[in-house]
Amino acid sequence: MSFQSPYDTWQRYKTLQTNRISALPIVILMPHSACNCRCVMCDIWKDNKNLKQLTEKDIRGLLTALKKFGTKQVVMSGGEALLNQNFFGLCEILKKAGIKVSLLTTGLSIKAHAEQLLKWVNDIIVSIDGDQQLHDSIRNVPGAFMKLKDGVQYIHSLNPRYRITARTVIHRLNFWNWASIIHEVKLMGINQISFLPADVSSHAFNRQMAWEEPRQNEILLSERELPELRGIIKRIITENKDDFDNGFIAESPEKIENIYFYYAAFYGLNSFPYKKCNAPWVSTVIEADGNVRPCFFHDVMGNIRDNNLADILNSEEAINFRKTLDMGTNATCVKCVCSLNLPPRMNPVPN
């Protein structure tokens, strides 16, 4: 991350002080509601038949608010954003407005779209769940691993300096494969990898209701598996010291250890790890149907097809939400797996 202008810094401080959005460095968009994977830890694909997607009209309608709030980066999330047939038209609107675009993707179709990705997307974050056999099994898509690998390597053959990073959700089905995941990502030529635990308790990822115990237990480590997890983490920290030192593994060793403490907390062995997060003050999530949330996990605040984004974010209800949010006690925040903490002086993306 790089330092930003004094004006932008002041606007960010003002937001934190007043709980009224004056600056919005990051916006997360979900261009398409469907997904081309059937992951065991996610329910998005179960609603594929009820297609929802953002349009060019939606994105153009956001530009006034994005300009007003000095938005620097839009993260295209999903579902699978590339399923939106006009995905690159959306990116073009944002890029021409001076906003950097990042893509979170399954990676299944990045090879087919390589040239346009290089033109309209600043960087890519791919999801990887294990070595070839395990990744395909968790994704429920035969050949998913090789499509991801081929896509990454093809893009780098066109532009070796293009930044592609990876994200892995560590859970019951893949924690034992952790070292292999790091090894495979290096072989692919990916620039960096990050790790987080699985969300098993929220309404996010298209869950109509929070998972109950039988469903949770498919993904949540059992208490008897915790010592094995702790041992694996200790080996990762010891044997991959250089990867932490040079930033190939994005998290610090302490944050990697927190994955153990997160799962242990479900059995009352410790508290859930505290996350320093200011996501509702520096970002927002806009879903494929236009719904606006302060982050992936909190309730809808409005819809961009009914009101403009600036009015939604600075409604009395939204301001009061931020003003009264205590992340140390809020039930959603306490169990959050995906926090964001962006200091006021730092840009979300490099210049």
Side-chain angles (χ1 to χ4, degrees), residues 317-342:
E317 179 185 5
I319 292 172
N320 188 62
F321 167 80
R322 291 187 289 269
K323 184 178 180 180
T324 59
L325 181 61
D326 182 348
M327 295 189 177
T329 60
N330 180 275
T332 297
C333 294
V334 165
K335 292 185 178 180
C336 180
V337 300
C338 190
S339 59
L340 168 67
N341 184 49
L342 186 64

PDB file of all heavy atoms in Angstrom, residues 317-342:
ATOM      1  N   GLU A 317     -30.141   5.689   9.372  1.00  0.00           N
ATOM      2  CA  GLU A 317     -29.976   4.307   9.816  1.00  0.00           C
ATOM      3  C   GLU A 317     -28.531   3.838   9.669  1.00  0.00           C
ATOM      4  O   GLU A 317     -27.964   3.198  10.570  1.00  0.00           O
ATOM      5  CB  GLU A 317     -30.899   3.398   9.002  1.00  0.00           C
ATOM      6  CG  GLU A 317     -30.791   1.922   9.357  1.00  0.00           C
ATOM      7  CD  GLU A 317     -31.634   1.038   8.455  1.00  0.00           C
ATOM      8  OE1 GLU A 317     -32.225   1.576   7.488  1.00  0.00           O
ATOM      9  OE2 GLU A 317     -31.701  -0.170   8.711  1.00  0.00           O
ATOM     10  N   ALA A 318     -27.906   4.165   8.512  1.00  0.00           N
ATOM     11  CA  ALA A 318     -26.537   3.722   8.263  1.00  0.00           C
ATOM     12  C   ALA A 318     -25.547   4.407   9.201  1.00  0.00           C
ATOM     13  O   ALA A 318     -24.610   3.773   9.714  1.00  0.00           O
ATOM     14  CB  ALA A 318     -26.157   3.989   6.811  1.00  0.00           C
ATOM     15  N   ILE A 319     -25.721   5.703   9.411  1.00  0.00           N
ATOM     16  CA  ILE A 319     -24.834   6.433  10.326  1.00  0.00           C
ATOM     17  C   ILE A 319     -24.952   5.873  11.735  1.00  0.00           C
ATOM     18  O   ILE A 319     -23.948   5.667  12.439  1.00  0.00           O
ATOM     19  CB  ILE A 319     -25.152   7.945  10.299  1.00  0.00           C
ATOM     20  CG1 ILE A 319     -24.765   8.537   8.939  1.00  0.00           C
ATOM     21  CG2 ILE A 319     -24.420   8.671  11.429  1.00  0.00           C
ATOM     22  CD1 ILE A 319     -25.225   9.971   8.742  1.00  0.00           C
ATOM     23  N   ASN A 320     -26.180   5.592  12.168  1.00  0.00           N
ATOM     24  CA  ASN A 320     -26.387   5.044  13.508  1.00  0.00           C
ATOM     25  C   ASN A 320     -25.784   3.650  13.637  1.00  0.00           C
ATOM     26  O   ASN A 320     -25.246   3.285  14.693  1.00  0.00           O
ATOM     27  CB  ASN A 320     -27.879   5.003  13.830  1.00  0.00           C
ATOM     28  CG  ASN A 320     -28.133   4.622  15.270  1.00  0.00           C
ATOM     29  OD1 ASN A 320     -27.721   5.314  16.199  1.00  0.00           O
ATOM     30  ND2 ASN A 320     -28.827   3.513  15.476  1.00  0.00           N
ATOM     31  N   PHE A 321     -25.858   2.863  12.554  1.00  0.00           N
ATOM     32  CA  PHE A 321     -25.228   1.536  12.565  1.00  0.00           C
ATOM     33  C   PHE A 321     -23.737   1.659  12.857  1.00  0.00           C
ATOM     34  O   PHE A 321     -23.198   0.954  13.724  1.00  0.00           O
ATOM     35  CB  PHE A 321     -25.450   0.832  11.230  1.00  0.00           C
ATOM     36  CG  PHE A 321     -24.588  -0.385  11.033  1.00  0.00           C
ATOM     37  CD1 PHE A 321     -24.922  -1.590  11.623  1.00  0.00           C
ATOM     38  CD2 PHE A 321     -23.433  -0.307  10.264  1.00  0.00           C
ATOM     39  CE1 PHE A 321     -24.116  -2.704  11.457  1.00  0.00           C
ATOM     40  CE2 PHE A 321     -22.628  -1.413  10.087  1.00  0.00           C
ATOM     41  CZ  PHE A 321     -22.965  -2.620  10.686  1.00  0.00           C
ATOM     42  N   ARG A 322     -23.054   2.548  12.137  1.00  0.00           N
ATOM     43  CA  ARG A 322     -21.616   2.702  12.348  1.00  0.00           C
ATOM     44  C   ARG A 322     -21.324   3.273  13.731  1.00  0.00           C
ATOM     45  O   ARG A 322     -20.369   2.858  14.409  1.00  0.00           O
ATOM     46  CB  ARG A 322     -21.022   3.583  11.253  1.00  0.00           C
ATOM     47  CG  ARG A 322     -21.019   2.928   9.869  1.00  0.00           C
ATOM     48  CD  ARG A 322     -20.283   3.754   8.839  1.00  0.00           C
ATOM     49  NE  ARG A 322     -21.006   4.950   8.475  1.00  0.00           N
ATOM     50  CZ  ARG A 322     -21.878   5.022   7.475  1.00  0.00           C
ATOM     51  NH1 ARG A 322     -22.154   3.943   6.732  1.00  0.00           N
ATOM     52  NH2 ARG A 322     -22.495   6.152   7.186  1.00  0.00           N
ATOM     53  N   LYS A 323     -22.137   4.213  14.154  1.00  0.00           N
ATOM     54  CA  LYS A 323     -21.920   4.870  15.442  1.00  0.00           C
ATOM     55  C   LYS A 323     -22.028   3.895  16.602  1.00  0.00           C
ATOM     56  O   LYS A 323     -21.285   4.000  17.594  1.00  0.00           O
ATOM     57  CB  LYS A 323     -22.931   6.006  15.618  1.00  0.00           C
ATOM     58  CG  LYS A 323     -22.750   6.827  16.884  1.00  0.00           C
ATOM     59  CD  LYS A 323     -23.765   7.963  16.935  1.00  0.00           C
ATOM     60  CE  LYS A 323     -23.600   8.803  18.187  1.00  0.00           C
ATOM     61  NZ  LYS A 323     -24.589   9.919  18.240  1.00  0.00           N
ATOM     62  N   THR A 324     -22.923   2.949  16.509  1.00  0.00           N
ATOM     63  CA  THR A 324     -23.187   2.041  17.626  1.00  0.00           C
ATOM     64  C   THR A 324     -22.512   0.680  17.480  1.00  0.00           C
ATOM     65  O   THR A 324     -22.638  -0.164  18.375  1.00  0.00           O
ATOM     66  CB  THR A 324     -24.707   1.824  17.776  1.00  0.00           C
ATOM     67  OG1 THR A 324     -25.233   1.279  16.556  1.00  0.00           O
ATOM     68  CG2 THR A 324     -25.413   3.146  18.090  1.00  0.00           C
ATOM     69  N   LEU A 325     -21.800   0.455  16.369  1.00  0.00           N
ATOM     70  CA  LEU A 325     -21.187  -0.851  16.142  1.00  0.00           C
ATOM     71  C   LEU A 325     -19.985  -1.055  17.058  1.00  0.00           C
ATOM     72  O   LEU A 325     -19.003  -0.321  16.978  1.00  0.00           O
ATOM     73  CB  LEU A 325     -20.763  -0.989  14.681  1.00  0.00           C
ATOM     74  CG  LEU A 325     -20.119  -2.326  14.292  1.00  0.00           C
ATOM     75  CD1 LEU A 325     -21.089  -3.485  14.517  1.00  0.00           C
ATOM     76  CD2 LEU A 325     -19.648  -2.298  12.839  1.00  0.00           C
ATOM     77  N   ASP A 326     -20.056  -2.053  17.911  1.00  0.00           N
ATOM     78  CA  ASP A 326     -18.943  -2.436  18.779  1.00  0.00           C
ATOM     79  C   ASP A 326     -18.448  -3.791  18.306  1.00  0.00           C
ATOM     80  O   ASP A 326     -19.081  -4.819  18.528  1.00  0.00           O
ATOM     81  CB  ASP A 326     -19.410  -2.513  20.235  1.00  0.00           C
ATOM     82  CG  ASP A 326     -18.270  -2.875  21.189  1.00  0.00           C
ATOM     83  OD1 ASP A 326     -17.189  -3.286  20.716  1.00  0.00           O
ATOM     84  OD2 ASP A 326     -18.474  -2.746  22.419  1.00  0.00           O
ATOM     85  N   MET A 327     -17.303  -3.799  17.630  1.00  0.00           N
ATOM     86  CA  MET A 327     -16.822  -5.032  17.024  1.00  0.00           C
ATOM     87  C   MET A 327     -16.363  -6.054  18.053  1.00  0.00           C
ATOM     88  O   MET A 327     -16.217  -7.223  17.736  1.00  0.00           O
ATOM     89  CB  MET A 327     -15.720  -4.716  16.030  1.00  0.00           C
ATOM     90  CG  MET A 327     -16.233  -3.902  14.867  1.00  0.00           C
ATOM     91  SD  MET A 327     -15.044  -3.724  13.553  1.00  0.00           S
ATOM     92  CE  MET A 327     -16.025  -2.795  12.366  1.00  0.00           C
ATOM     93  N   GLY A 328     -16.125  -5.587  19.264  1.00  0.00           N
ATOM     94  CA  GLY A 328     -15.724  -6.526  20.302  1.00  0.00           C
ATOM     95  C   GLY A 328     -16.876  -7.313  20.887  1.00  0.00           C
ATOM     96  O   GLY A 328     -16.660  -8.367  21.518  1.00  0.00           O
ATOM     97  N   THR A 329     -18.110  -6.832  20.680  1.00  0.00           N
ATOM     98  CA  THR A 329     -19.275  -7.516  21.254  1.00  0.00           C
ATOM     99  C   THR A 329     -20.325  -7.909  20.215  1.00  0.00           C
ATOM    100  O   THR A 329     -21.142  -8.777  20.483  1.00  0.00           O
ATOM    101  CB  THR A 329     -19.952  -6.627  22.315  1.00  0.00           C
ATOM    102  OG1 THR A 329     -20.380  -5.395  21.699  1.00  0.00           O
ATOM    103  CG2 THR A 329     -18.985  -6.314  23.453  1.00  0.00           C
ATOM    104  N   ASN A 330     -20.323  -7.272  19.045  1.00  0.00           N
ATOM    105  CA  ASN A 330     -21.308  -7.599  18.019  1.00  0.00           C
ATOM    106  C   ASN A 330     -21.151  -9.056  17.591  1.00  0.00           C
ATOM    107  O   ASN A 330     -20.051  -9.498  17.232  1.00  0.00           O
ATOM    108  CB  ASN A 330     -21.136  -6.672  16.822  1.00  0.00           C
ATOM    109  CG  ASN A 330     -22.139  -6.951  15.720  1.00  0.00           C
ATOM    110  OD1 ASN A 330     -21.923  -7.818  14.880  1.00  0.00           O
ATOM    111  ND2 ASN A 330     -23.253  -6.227  15.728  1.00  0.00           N
ATOM    112  N   ALA A 331     -22.235  -9.808  17.610  1.00  0.00           N
ATOM    113  CA  ALA A 331     -22.164 -11.247  17.358  1.00  0.00           C
ATOM    114  C   ALA A 331     -21.616 -11.578  15.975  1.00  0.00           C
ATOM    115  O   ALA A 331     -20.891 -12.562  15.794  1.00  0.00           O
ATOM    116  CB  ALA A 331     -23.551 -11.869  17.529  1.00  0.00           C
ATOM    117  N   THR A 332     -21.967 -10.762  14.992  1.00  0.00           N
ATOM    118  CA  THR A 332     -21.467 -10.980  13.631  1.00  0.00           C
ATOM    119  C   THR A 332     -19.976 -10.704  13.547  1.00  0.00           C
ATOM    120  O   THR A 332     -19.213 -11.483  12.963  1.00  0.00           O
ATOM    121  CB  THR A 332     -22.235 -10.095  12.639  1.00  0.00           C
ATOM    122  OG1 THR A 332     -23.609 -10.476  12.632  1.00  0.00           O
ATOM    123  CG2 THR A 332     -21.672 -10.227  11.236  1.00  0.00           C
ATOM    124  N   CYS A 333     -19.547  -9.597  14.137  1.00  0.00           N
ATOM    125  CA  CYS A 333     -18.135  -9.209  14.071  1.00  0.00           C
ATOM    126  C   CYS A 333     -17.242 -10.167  14.849  1.00  0.00           C
ATOM    127  O   CYS A 333     -16.119 -10.464  14.430  1.00  0.00           O
ATOM    128  CB  CYS A 333     -17.955  -7.786  14.596  1.00  0.00           C
ATOM    129  SG  CYS A 333     -18.732  -6.517  13.579  1.00  0.00           S
ATOM    130  N   VAL A 334     -17.731 -10.635  15.993  1.00  0.00           N
ATOM    131  CA  VAL A 334     -16.916 -11.509  16.834  1.00  0.00           C
ATOM    132  C   VAL A 334     -16.492 -12.760  16.072  1.00  0.00           C
ATOM    133  O   VAL A 334     -15.352 -13.225  16.196  1.00  0.00           O
ATOM    134  CB  VAL A 334     -17.690 -11.886  18.121  1.00  0.00           C
ATOM    135  CG1 VAL A 334     -17.022 -13.067  18.830  1.00  0.00           C
ATOM    136  CG2 VAL A 334     -17.762 -10.687  19.057  1.00  0.00           C
ATOM    137  N   LYS A 335     -17.390 -13.311  15.243  1.00  0.00           N
ATOM    138  CA  LYS A 335     -17.086 -14.541  14.508  1.00  0.00           C
ATOM    139  C   LYS A 335     -16.649 -14.287  13.069  1.00  0.00           C
ATOM    140  O   LYS A 335     -16.522 -15.230  12.286  1.00  0.00           O
ATOM    141  CB  LYS A 335     -18.311 -15.464  14.513  1.00  0.00           C
ATOM    142  CG  LYS A 335     -18.649 -16.018  15.892  1.00  0.00           C
ATOM    143  CD  LYS A 335     -19.794 -17.010  15.799  1.00  0.00           C
ATOM    144  CE  LYS A 335     -20.123 -17.614  17.157  1.00  0.00           C
ATOM    145  NZ  LYS A 335     -21.228 -18.587  17.076  1.00  0.00           N
ATOM    146  N   CYS A 336     -16.389 -13.036  12.718  1.00  0.00           N
ATOM    147  CA  CYS A 336     -16.025 -12.698  11.341  1.00  0.00           C
ATOM    148  C   CYS A 336     -14.710 -13.360  10.937  1.00  0.00           C
ATOM    149  O   CYS A 336     -13.774 -13.452  11.733  1.00  0.00           O
ATOM    150  CB  CYS A 336     -15.916 -11.176  11.198  1.00  0.00           C
ATOM    151  SG  CYS A 336     -15.483 -10.640   9.533  1.00  0.00           S
ATOM    152  N   VAL A 337     -14.643 -13.802   9.690  1.00  0.00           N
ATOM    153  CA  VAL A 337     -13.420 -14.437   9.182  1.00  0.00           C
ATOM    154  C   VAL A 337     -12.681 -13.545   8.184  1.00  0.00           C
ATOM    155  O   VAL A 337     -11.588 -13.887   7.735  1.00  0.00           O
ATOM    156  CB  VAL A 337     -13.732 -15.784   8.496  1.00  0.00           C
ATOM    157  CG1 VAL A 337     -14.383 -16.744   9.479  1.00  0.00           C
ATOM    158  CG2 VAL A 337     -14.609 -15.587   7.266  1.00  0.00           C
ATOM    159  N   CYS A 338     -13.271 -12.425   7.805  1.00  0.00           N
ATOM    160  CA  CYS A 338     -12.745 -11.654   6.673  1.00  0.00           C
ATOM    161  C   CYS A 338     -12.789 -10.160   6.988  1.00  0.00           C
ATOM    162  O   CYS A 338     -13.564  -9.409   6.402  1.00  0.00           O
ATOM    163  CB  CYS A 338     -13.562 -11.963   5.421  1.00  0.00           C
ATOM    164  SG  CYS A 338     -12.858 -11.296   3.898  1.00  0.00           S
ATOM    165  N   SER A 339     -11.969  -9.730   7.920  1.00  0.00           N
ATOM    166  CA  SER A 339     -11.971  -8.330   8.330  1.00  0.00           C
ATOM    167  C   SER A 339     -11.104  -7.490   7.387  1.00  0.00           C
ATOM    168  O   SER A 339     -10.254  -7.998   6.667  1.00  0.00           O
ATOM    169  CB  SER A 339     -11.452  -8.202   9.758  1.00  0.00           C
ATOM    170  OG  SER A 339     -10.138  -8.722   9.862  1.00  0.00           O
ATOM    171  N   LEU A 340     -11.349  -6.187   7.415  1.00  0.00           N
ATOM    172  CA  LEU A 340     -10.588  -5.230   6.618  1.00  0.00           C
ATOM    173  C   LEU A 340     -10.226  -4.062   7.518  1.00  0.00           C
ATOM    174  O   LEU A 340     -11.098  -3.466   8.148  1.00  0.00           O
ATOM    175  CB  LEU A 340     -11.420  -4.731   5.432  1.00  0.00           C
ATOM    176  CG  LEU A 340     -10.875  -3.514   4.669  1.00  0.00           C
ATOM    177  CD1 LEU A 340      -9.589  -3.874   3.941  1.00  0.00           C
ATOM    178  CD2 LEU A 340     -11.921  -2.978   3.682  1.00  0.00           C
ATOM    179  N   ASN A 341      -8.953  -3.749   7.590  1.00  0.00           N
ATOM    180  CA  ASN A 341      -8.528  -2.587   8.364  1.00  0.00           C
ATOM    181  C   ASN A 341      -7.609  -1.738   7.496  1.00  0.00           C
ATOM    182  O   ASN A 341      -6.472  -2.117   7.215  1.00  0.00           O
ATOM    183  CB  ASN A 341      -7.812  -3.005   9.645  1.00  0.00           C
ATOM    184  CG  ASN A 341      -7.459  -1.807  10.508  1.00  0.00           C
ATOM    185  OD1 ASN A 341      -8.300  -0.954  10.775  1.00  0.00           O
ATOM    186  ND2 ASN A 341      -6.216  -1.725  10.937  1.00  0.00           N
ATOM    187  N   LEU A 342      -8.126  -0.612   7.031  1.00  0.00           N
ATOM    188  CA  LEU A 342      -7.378   0.265   6.144  1.00  0.00           C
ATOM    189  C   LEU A 342      -7.080   1.571   6.868  1.00  0.00           C
ATOM    190  O   LEU A 342      -7.978   2.388   7.076  1.00  0.00           O
ATOM    191  CB  LEU A 342      -8.190   0.536   4.875  1.00  0.00           C
ATOM    192  CG  LEU A 342      -7.491   1.326   3.776  1.00  0.00           C
ATOM    193  CD1 LEU A 342      -6.298   0.558   3.234  1.00  0.00           C
ATOM    194  CD2 LEU A 342      -8.469   1.638   2.655  1.00  0.00           C
TER     195      LEU A 342
END
